[in-house]
Amino acid sequence: VQLVESGGGLVQAEGSLRLSCAASGSTFSINIMGWYRQAPGKQRELVASISSGGGHTNYADSVKGRFTISRDNAKNTMYLQMNSLKAEDSAVYYCNAVPPQKETWGQGTQVTVSS
């Protein structure tokens, strides 16, 4: 499976961004998927996950109520709607399975929130 993240950018605090994760391969729809992020000097962390069918989602406390994860298995695509962005949300965002598959990390997409 190859994963390609997009949609990042520079946004002001309280702004919104929508990230996309396009997956190739036939196994996307059977995997629990997640959005991860890594800020400079920090470990990569899982911020949101979604079940294979999309019916169950989980969020890190730091993004709960502000981020929404979704997926469209017909399009092999996953999304992360990020609202009310804060400076501390600045990071490179990655998508991957949960637990992550080492060989499928993509390049990520940079999100920078200016305060």
Side-chain angles (χ1 to χ4, degrees), residues 30-47:
I30 67 173
N31 285 331
I32 298 172
M33 294 294 297
W35 282 99
Y36 302 77
R37 69 184 182 188
Q38 187 168 22
K42 295 189 176 181
Q43 286 192 328
R44 193 172 295 179
E45 62 172 340
L46 176 65
V47 296

Side-chain angles (χ1 to χ4, degrees), residues 3-20:
L3 302 170
V4 179
E5 303 91 348
S6 63
L10 173 64
V11 64
Q12 289 188 329
E14 295 303 314
S16 298
L17 282 173
R18 189 193 195 205
L19 306 184
S20 297

Side-chain angles (χ1 to χ4, degrees), residues 46-66:
L46 176 65
V47 296
S49 63
I50 187 166
S51 60
S52 57
H56 297 280
T57 57
N58 281 292
Y59 298 92
D61 287 344
S62 58
V63 306
K64 206 171 287 185
R66 300 186 298 120

